Amino acid sequence: MIYSDFNHNPGGISLAELVKEFGAPLYVYDGNKMISQYNRLRTAFPGEHVRIKYALKALNNPNILKLFRKQGAGLDAVSIHEVQLGLQTGFQPDEILFTPNCVSFDEIKAGVEAGVQINIDSISMLEHFGHHFGNSVPCCIRINPHIVAGGNVHIQTGHIDSKFGISIHQLRHVLRIVEKENIRVNGLHMHTGSDILDSGVFIQGAELLLETALSFKDLQFIDFGSGFKVAYKQDDVTTDIEELGRVISERFNTFCKEYGRQLELWFEPGKFLVSEAGFLLVKVNVIKQTTATVFAGVDSGQNHLIRPMFYDAYHHMVNISNPTGTPRIYTVVGYICETDTFGWDRKMAELREGDIIAICNAGAYGYTMSNNYNGRPRPAEVLLLDGKAHLIRKAETLGDLTRNVVDAGI
Ligand SMILES: *Cc1c(COP(=O)(O)O)cnc(C)c1O
């Protein structure tokens, strides 16, 4: 694993050389790692009836979307704009699942006009949908089975107070609306959050969804969402995807026999496919020793990678400029005027001003959650594929920050 034996040359390309060519800070993605994660999932869940819908909110550069399209993936989109991005990238409408939460009915109608599969997330929208479309357009329903995965409250979606999905306890109400409005429900969905440590919890949710599925006669697919956990540090507990694949596949096949026909089995991973493939490369601007701490201040911050601050997420960091330096303890902080710590008390090879740090697991929810706070442009993105480095997005400039400003003549 990368944590004990960090690979300075992912995909055969030196990370340090990339900084010389493209500058820092820099987002780098190993496309071949993404493909191998995709194939791992395909192997764990074999069969023609299995569909992988990449959750593009994790990382939405169109080049990456094309890479996944080539592998045979579809998309999971959570806004009409993500839907449009997918269509622009060449995905067919029927390959895109639109899973919005708390959007207007107009946005859902726009999704129907675009021809994508709609996933309904509330009783109210189900009523609107039925009233407006009757059985002329099928829809999927997002069920909240109220199982709780993982330990991070920010990324749990299955708990009782969650805003996501329609509670499984409201099934009777759902069925009443479906019957009255003659709605064609062609899919059932759950997505329980992002930290499945225990496949037993996932299977418990799946079991509830399958039980629910018996109440719907027009189903074409069942979508078990995502939440597959990847390693962020050494010896991290991760989802045993192969074990999960064995159990779920067998259970799903039994279910299809009971249901009376073969249904499709859908998943919508984001993090699993792209997290470990990404690095944020940052340069050390300042080493600052205070009475209590040695800070390494870098040329990036929570504006480029917010997960450590937002989710208290652990991101492994490696000094790639001085890999054989004597290990010392550092607190790595960003340059934003706000609490902005990438990692506390990290043992790293001695850092010198000008050294480059690779921040790992920056593929998912890195660039897509970045912003321009403190008037900072976003970094460039580089994709490594088959031994070549491709610039897939230029770094922003001051012009990008003022692009939409209107001079009011004041
Ligand atoms: C975010 C999201 C996903 C992807 O979750 P990961 O933990 O990144 O795999 C899948 N489905 C839905 C509906 C989501 O909102």
Side-chain angles (χ1 to χ4, degrees):
M1 194 58 225
I2 55 172
Y3 306 99
S4 47
D5 185 19
F6 181 79
N7 181 6
H8 289 258
N9 305 289
I13 295 176
S14 151
L15 291 174
E17 288 301 315
L18 286 173
V19 172
K20 287 184 192 148
E21 187 175 352
F22 299 101
L26 184 69
Y27 267 106
V28 178
Y29 311 116
D30 178 355
N32 294 93
K33 171 71 182 174
M34 295 179 187
I35 294 171
S36 78
Q37 286 294 93
Y38 180 83
N39 288 336
R40 222 183 118 197
L41 208 56
R42 288 259 34 156
T43 309
F45 297 95
E48 284 300 303
H49 63 286
V50 177
R51 300 272 184 281
I52 313 259
K53 310 274 172 189
Y54 169 54
L56 75 151
K57 75 175 190 282
L59 175 60
N60 66 13
N61 187 295
N63 294 277
I64 309 267
L65 303 187
K66 282 181 189 159
L67 191 69
F68 281 120
R69 193 168 70 88
K70 266 198 193 155
Q71 312 312 311
L75 289 182
D76 177 55
V78 293
S79 71
I80 192 68
H81 309 91
E82 282 193 350
V83 166
Q84 285 156 349
L85 205 55
L87 293 172
Q88 278 175 15
T89 313
F91 285 86
Q92 296 302 308
D94 64 1
E95 295 171 324
I96 301 176
L97 173 66
F98 182 24
T99 303
N101 172 253
C102 293
V103 302
S104 68
F105 188 56
D106 282 344
E107 189 164 333
I108 288 176
K109 280 196 282 190
V112 171
E113 272 158 38
V116 299
Q117 171 70 49
I118 305 293
N119 193 0
I120 298 283
D121 183 67
S122 69
I123 294 268
S124 153
M125 281 300 142
L126 187 65
E127 284 173 335
H128 286 304
F129 194 88
H131 184 66
H132 200 85
F133 294 110
N135 72 351
S136 67
V137 179
C139 71
C140 173
I141 295 179
R142 178 173 187 169
I143 300 287
N144 186 344
H146 301 305
I147 61 143
V148 176
N152 192 323
V153 291
H154 296 284
I155 44 186
Q156 287 172 356
T157 63
H159 57 88
I160 198 80
D161 284 333
S162 169
K163 68 167 186 156
F164 295 102
I166 300 175
S167 169
I168 197 159
H169 304 304
Q170 290 173 297
L171 180 62
R172 271 179 173 283
H173 192 174
V174 168
L175 289 172
R176 221 167 263 144
I177 297 164
V178 166
E179 192 178 316
K180 278 273 172 251
E181 300 285 5
N182 196 17
I183 300 171
R184 188 150 47 99
V185 178
N186 67 344
L188 280 193
H189 169 275
M190 72 167 193
H191 170 67
T192 50
S194 276
D195 267 341
I196 293 166
L197 297 172
D198 174 3
S199 31
V201 175
F202 190 87
I203 290 158
Q204 217 182 311
E207 209 47 72
L208 287 167
L209 199 64
L210 292 178
E211 211 174 285
T212 308
L214 293 171
S215 305
F216 295 87
K217 61 184 192 315
D218 298 323
L219 295 182
Q220 289 164 347
F221 66 90
I222 293 186
D223 184 338
F224 286 143
S226 176
F228 308 132
K229 191 177 185 307
V230 299
Y232 279 78
K233 52 176 177 265
Q234 204 164 346
D235 305 326
D236 243 359
V237 181
T238 61
T239 309
D240 184 343
I241 212 83
E242 285 74 23
E243 163 70 10
L244 193 65
R246 267 190 300 278
V247 177
I248 291 282
S249 299
E250 197 186 315
R251 179 65 188 96
F252 190 72
N253 291 339
T254 319
F255 169 79
C256 288
K257 289 202 188 88
E258 192 186 345
Y259 190 75
R261 66 171 183 275
Q262 179 68 54
L263 300 182
E264 290 178 6
L265 174 57
W266 291 15
F267 294 97
E268 45 192 47
K271 190 182 280 179
F272 182 81
L273 296 178
V274 297
S275 175
E276 294 161 289
F279 305 88
L280 175 59
L281 306 181
V282 299
K283 192 175 79 190
V284 177
N285 282 338
V286 179
I287 300 288
K288 184 192 250 188
Q289 177 131 25
T290 66
T291 41
T293 307
V294 184
F295 287 105
V298 302
D299 68 346
S300 181
Q302 56 149 299
N303 53 325
H304 295 155
L305 180 67
I306 203 169
R307 299 189 77 259
M309 284 289 105
F310 197 33
Y311 300 125
D312 205 12
Y314 182 99
H315 285 257
H316 188 65
M317 288 184 275
V318 178
N319 179 357
I320 63 171
S321 301
N322 185 25
T324 55
T326 308
R328 299 185 63 186
I329 307 292
Y330 297 94
T331 290
V332 180
V333 293
Y335 57 14
I336 292 297
C337 295
E338 179 66 65
T339 311
D340 191 20
T341 309
F342 281 125
W344 286 264
D345 294 342
R346 296 300 183 83
K347 193 165 158 182
M348 300 171 69
E350 180 169 10
L351 286 167
R352 303 154 308 184
E353 292 179 358
D355 279 359
I356 301 297
I357 298 175
I359 306 179
C360 300
N361 286 84
Y365 310 106
Y367 195 95
T368 50
M369 289 182 104
S370 66
N371 61 68
N372 293 123
Y373 188 47
N374 280 199
R376 296 287 185 182
R378 291 177 175 83
E381 293 181 291
V382 168
L383 174 65
L384 311 180
L385 195 62
D386 302 332
K388 280 208 197 77
H390 306 266
L391 181 67
I392 56 170
R393 196 190 306 259
K394 293 187 282 185
E396 287 179 339
T397 62
L398 181 63
D400 294 308
L401 304 191
T402 52
R403 195 151 29 106
N404 294 327
V405 171
V406 177
D407 185 352
I410 293 159

